[in-house]
């Protein structure tokens, strides 16, 4: 009893609050996982398809080792093959590599929503600056430019979610690799022909 004769109000223990928060988090994760499983079992979403259909080289200067200057643009077409499932892309980044070495900084792309059975074209401008490069990259680029054919790899990294009706899945990592060969003569600036651009490899 208090001095006023009133009973003390019991205080909630911190342990009880922590258990409640943990239970809420567990239920949320359980529902999110159940939604993802439901979408996969009912609709069986398929991976998106990517292909490079155009290229433009504005700068690819490999004369000052160990620094190269790069500025290029690619037209990348992505296709959602699903009939009833749309796709959300989050935190997509694009870059270009040569001989397994990145030659442009990663460029952030805006979030993308792709409806079912739709095709979207992306045209990121990559590079616009100098980057450090190994002797292998510098010498290889100079030789390839002299020959007139340069093999490049366009890389997309990010997260995606599938959506069917009101149900969204959790985020999945997506890794897209597009190997292309361009007809590039030394000193050429602007659009260049694609000599080879097979469908991109998509890993989720």
């Amino acid at each position: 009893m208090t001095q006023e004769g009133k009973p003390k109000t019991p205080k909630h223990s911190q342990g009880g609050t922590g258990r409640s928060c943990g239970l809420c988090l567990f239920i949320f994760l359980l529902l999110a996982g159940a939604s993802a499983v439901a979408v996969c079992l009912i609709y069986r979403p398929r991976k998106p398809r990517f292909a490079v259909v155009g290229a433009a080289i504005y700068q690819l200067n490999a004369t000052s080792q160990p620094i190269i200057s790069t500025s290029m643009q690619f037209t990348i077409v992505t296709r959602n093959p699903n009939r009833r499932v749309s796709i959300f892309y989050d935190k997509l980044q694009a870059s270009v590599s040569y001989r397994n070495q990145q030659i442009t900084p990663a460029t952030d792309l805006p979030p993308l929503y792709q409806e079912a059975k739709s095709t979207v074209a992306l045209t990121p401008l990559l590079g616009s600056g100098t980057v450090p490069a190994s002797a292998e990259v510098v010498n290889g680029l100079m030789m390839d430019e002299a020959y007139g054919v340069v093999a490049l790899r366009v890389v997309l990294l990010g997260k995606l979610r599938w959506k069917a009706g009101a149900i969204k899945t959790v985020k999945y990592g997506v890794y897209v690799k597009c190997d292309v060969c361009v007809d590039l003569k030394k000193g050429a600036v602007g659009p260049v022909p694609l000599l080879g651009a097979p469908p991109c490899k998509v890993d989720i």
Side-chain angles (χ1 to χ4, degrees):
M1 300 288 288
T2 62
Q3 293 180 353
E4 292 80 8
K6 295 181 181 180
K8 291 183 178 180
T9 302
K11 297 181 179 180
H12 295 291
S13 67
Q14 293 182 352
T17 303
R19 285 192 296 270
S20 299
C21 292
L23 180 60
C24 292
L25 179 61
F26 173 76
I27 293 175
F28 172 78
L29 294 176
L30 184 63
L31 291 176
S35 298
V37 171
V39 171
C40 292
L41 291 179
I42 297 174
Y43 297 102
R44 299 183 182 276
R46 291 181 289 169
K47 294 189 295 186
R49 301 168 188 160
F50 289 80
V52 175
V53 298
I57 307 296
Y58 302 111
Q59 189 175 26
L60 189 55
N61 185 356
T63 58
S64 55
Q65 188 175 338
I67 299 295
I68 63 174
S69 303
T70 59
S71 179
M72 55 193 76
Q73 190 169 31
F74 292 90
T75 300
I76 307 164
V77 172
T78 174
R79 173 71 177 171
N80 179 5
N82 298 285
R83 291 188 300 172
R84 294 183 292 178
V85 179
S86 54
I87 303 175
F88 287 93
Y89 294 94
D90 299 308
K91 299 180 180 179
L92 274 180
Q93 290 187 326
S95 62
V96 178
S97 63
Y98 172 80
R99 296 194 178 186
N100 295 320
Q101 296 186 44
Q102 188 171 317
I103 61 172
T104 69
T107 299
D108 293 326
L109 304 182
L112 173 65
Y113 170 68
Q114 191 169 15
E115 297 181 351
K117 282 290 183 181
S118 66
T119 301
V120 176
L122 308 173
T123 56
L125 180 63
L126 308 174
S128 69
T130 58
V131 293
S134 67
E136 177 188 2
V137 167
V138 173
N139 295 333
L141 278 174
M142 293 175 65
M143 292 177 60
D144 288 349
E145 285 183 344
Y147 183 67
V149 178
V150 179
L152 301 170
R153 171 174 288 175
V154 183
V155 176
L156 296 176
L157 281 172
K159 302 285 187 180
L160 67 74
R161 292 172 290 161
W162 283 290
K163 180 178 182 293
I167 301 176
K168 294 181 183 178
T169 68
V170 296
K171 294 181 179 180
Y172 293 89
V174 57
Y175 178 34
V176 182
K177 295 183 294 185
C178 306
D179 293 320
V180 299
C181 288
V182 297
D183 183 354
L184 181 63
K185 302 297 190 295
K186 188 173 180 60
V189 177
V192 294
L194 291 176
L195 301 177
C200 305
K201 183 179 179 181
V202 182
D203 292 322
I204 295 178

